[in-house]
Amino acid sequence: MKPSSTAKRLLAPSHSFSTKRLDFISQVLALRDKQSDLRILRFRAPLSFSRLNGLIRRAVRQNVQELDVEVATDDYFNFPRSVLTSESLRVFKLRSRYPGFRLPPPSVMKGGFRSLHTLSLSLVILYNQPSLSDLFTDASFPRLKKLNLDACFGLKHLKVSCLALEDLTLENCFQLNGLDVSGARLKRLRVSSCFDASCGESWVKISAPSLRIMVWEYNAITENSTLENLTSAHEASIGFFLVAEDISVTKLRSVSNLLSGLSQLHSLTLESVCIEVLSSRNYIANVMHPFYHLRSLELQTGFNKHNVAGLAHLFKSSPTLNTLILKIINDFKIERRKWNKDLWDMPSSEEEQFWESQTQALAPLLNHLSVVKIHGFLECENEVSLAKFLLKHGKALQEMTFFSGHCNYRDSLRRQKIRSQMMGFSRASSNAKIEFL
């Protein structure tokens, strides 16, 4: 067996293109024992394509197992084909800082990477091949476990169906119209800042029976969402990017379908734009399936008046919830009503009356909810009304913690008065404790 050694990082200074400064990488490789395999080669430098290609060919000849490259070039360059035929390469990461690189034709790409288990590509130019529907298959990548695609410009359709794949990350693919992901072993999926918001036929389809974690953030809402066989899904974070506040009924239905496909979750985080979508008057509430297994729910919201009904619907859809985390995003450009009435002799506010009207519908939640945490608490009417309702009817409530948001010092006396009132709110659970931090 040949001895194995490691070149952990060969770093060329990024401020200079001088041949003298860059030649040391080639010199180090040339001085190595020809009988010694190269385990890891990592370098970051501005290079010409010919120099980059030469370095990679030399590393491949030395049976490199992990190749991590970050480069800037004068012009677009072609994907180095020498890595395709490597039988030793297990990890390949190629990141272009500027201006990007092109992939070979799919027929060429599908002939290599037989031993690769990790692939990461960043700043890929795909205007000449906008559809990658038959590249990431089990036939092309039989051992691929981790795939990361970032900033694929021109990519409109992507299909990933590698049977061995366990971790898939897709980022900054702004022109994407269609995404099809399937895999029996896929455990983690992250899709961020993807999809063309102006496309009228965008879609996503996911089928992954082993999926445990899904992160879906800052994506444009697709016209259609199909999530199938996510029977093992445990944790998810969902957020969107909106180019306009008014979205179509079709897209609202797509959001409902996406959330319904995650009905097996135990932990769910919904970002602020998602809450705005769910608060829409046109939201098709009866389409979303209940989260019968959900134990932890985190909601990021401006918690304005129009959000109240949307939050109530989410609570109804989470009958066995144990922990509720509310992270209030305070937009100081929008004035929110303060809680300023006397606890004992003032009539109930509109918000209080609304929550009281939901008592029966929310009975399952109120019988299970034990922990409530409210971040960004400013003692506004919506926040205090919800807290009062949960304290009054939460039979299983153990703790309610308020994390204060930014406040004006001159407002401290009013806030202290409200907190004193809240300590006197009626509590359905004798074990319920209130804490202000």
Side-chain angles (χ1 to χ4, degrees):
M1 181 180 293
K2 295 181 180 180
S4 178
S5 59
T6 302
K8 287 193 173 181
R9 182 179 289 271
L10 300 180
L11 178 59
S14 59
H15 63 274
S16 173
F17 281 82
S18 71
T19 303
K20 184 177 180 180
R21 288 184 179 272
L22 296 176
D23 278 346
F24 83 96
I25 301 178
S26 299
Q27 292 169 1
V28 170
L29 293 177
L31 290 171
R32 291 173 51 80
D33 185 347
K34 293 182 179 180
Q35 300 301 314
S36 176
D37 289 347
L38 182 63
R39 188 163 66 89
I40 302 174
L41 173 61
R42 300 188 182 118
F43 63 87
R44 182 175 74 246
L47 292 171
S48 66
F49 173 64
S50 59
R51 186 179 293 274
L52 171 64
N53 221 14
L55 286 172
I56 291 179
R57 280 200 304 267
R58 178 164 286 181
V60 169
R61 285 198 297 267
Q62 295 190 15
N63 296 318
V64 64
Q65 296 179 29
E66 179 176 337
L67 188 55
D68 188 342
V69 179
E70 182 177 340
V71 295
T73 53
D74 290 330
D75 199 357
Y76 299 108
F77 65 91
N78 295 321
F79 186 88
R81 298 194 181 192
S82 55
V83 300
L84 294 172
T85 56
S86 172
E87 296 182 358
S88 62
L89 194 63
R90 301 292 183 269
V91 178
F92 182 51
K93 300 178 182 180
L94 177 59
R95 177 181 179 85
S96 172
R97 288 188 306 217
Y98 179 84
F101 62 92
R102 306 181 187 90
L103 291 181
S107 58
V108 175
M109 289 285 286
K110 289 191 292 184
F113 294 127
R114 309 302 299 173
S115 302
L116 202 68
H117 67 67
T118 298
L119 176 64
S120 180
L121 304 176
S122 181
L123 198 50
V124 191
I125 309 303
L126 293 167
Y127 292 107
N128 292 331
Q129 44 180 317
S131 178
L132 296 180
S133 58
D134 58 355
L135 174 59
F136 297 106
T137 64
D138 192 49
S140 302
F141 294 88
R143 299 183 181 180
L144 192 65
K145 293 185 177 181
K146 187 173 183 178
L147 175 63
N148 187 330
L149 299 176
D150 173 40
C152 296
F153 290 99
L155 179 63
K156 292 187 176 182
H157 296 96
L158 174 65
K159 182 177 182 179
V160 179
S161 58
C162 307
L163 292 179
L165 193 66
E166 298 179 0
D167 191 317
L168 171 61
T169 297
L170 186 65
E171 301 176 280
N172 302 311
C173 297
F174 308 110
Q175 293 149 315
L176 191 66
N177 293 340
L179 175 63
D180 187 348
V181 177
S182 61
R185 298 181 183 178
L186 187 65
K187 297 178 181 178
R188 186 181 185 277
L189 172 65
R190 181 173 183 264
V191 180
S192 176
S193 301
C194 291
F195 296 99
D196 184 353
S198 62
C199 175
E201 299 180 353
S202 57
W203 56 271
V204 57
K205 181 178 180 181
I206 301 171
S207 178
S210 298
L211 189 70
R212 297 283 294 172
I213 300 173
M214 176 171 163
V215 179
W216 192 269
E217 56 188 7
Y218 307 116
N219 297 309
I221 300 175
T222 57
E223 296 289 319
N224 187 34
S225 298
T226 305
L227 275 64
E228 301 175 334
N229 302 319
L230 304 190
T231 53
S232 300
H234 186 272
E235 178 182 344
S237 177
I238 307 297
F240 299 104
F241 168 76
L242 288 181
V243 294
E245 293 184 3
D246 186 24
I247 61 174
S248 66
V249 173
T250 301
K251 289 190 175 182
L252 290 172
R253 183 181 292 111
S254 178
V255 172
S256 287
N257 291 341
L258 188 145
L259 292 174
S260 296
L262 296 168
S263 59
Q264 299 295 319
L265 289 175
H266 288 235
S267 177
L268 174 62
T269 296
L270 298 179
E271 297 177 4
S272 58
V273 175
C274 188
I275 299 298
E276 291 300 311
V277 172
L278 299 181
S279 301
S280 168
R281 293 181 179 180
N282 294 325
Y283 180 69
I284 309 170
N286 61 336
V287 175
M288 190 172 74
H289 296 174
F291 296 98
Y292 287 120
H293 304 282
L294 196 64
R295 298 295 180 265
S296 176
L297 176 63
E298 178 180 319
L299 305 176
Q300 301 170 11
T301 174
F303 206 169
N304 296 302
K305 185 176 180 179
H306 68 276
N307 298 130
V308 173
L311 296 180
H313 172 66
L314 280 170
F315 296 161
K316 293 175 190 176
S317 301
S318 311
T320 61
L321 191 67
N322 175 267
T323 300
L324 172 64
I325 302 173
L326 198 63
K327 292 190 174 180
I328 301 172
I329 302 170
N330 288 295
D331 185 351
F332 294 99
K333 296 179 181 179
I334 301 176
E335 186 174 355
R336 300 170 62 212
R337 292 177 58 183
K338 304 294 184 181
W339 176 276
N340 57 7
K341 57 194 181 66
D342 189 287
L343 174 64
W344 307 112
D345 56 15
M346 293 293 287
S348 297
S349 67
E350 181 181 347
E351 286 78 7
E352 288 180 84
Q353 292 175 15
F354 171 81
W355 286 115
E356 287 296 329
S357 71
Q358 304 296 308
T359 302
Q360 184 174 354
L362 295 177
L365 168 77
L366 296 168
N367 288 331
H368 289 88
L369 190 64
S370 63
V371 177
V372 176
K373 298 179 180 180
I374 301 180
H375 296 257
F377 184 66
L378 291 179
E379 291 82 15
C380 293
E381 190 168 56
N382 284 338
E383 306 161 11
V384 178
S385 297
L386 175 59
K388 182 179 180 180
F389 171 75
L390 294 177
L391 284 167
K392 182 179 179 181
H393 299 285
K395 299 178 181 179
L397 197 61
Q398 298 289 318
E399 60 181 86
M400 182 176 286
T401 306
F402 301 91
F403 300 85
S404 296
H406 175 74
C407 68
N408 192 315
Y409 176 75
R410 293 174 295 180
D411 216 23
S412 59
L413 290 178
R414 181 193 66 84
R415 299 185 72 179
Q416 188 58 46
K417 179 181 177 181
I418 294 174
R419 293 181 181 189
S420 298
Q421 289 183 352
M422 293 179 67
M423 295 299 293
F425 283 168
S426 174
R427 308 180 195 186
S429 171
S430 58
N431 296 321
K433 297 179 180 179
I434 301 176
E435 186 176 10
F436 296 92
L437 298 176

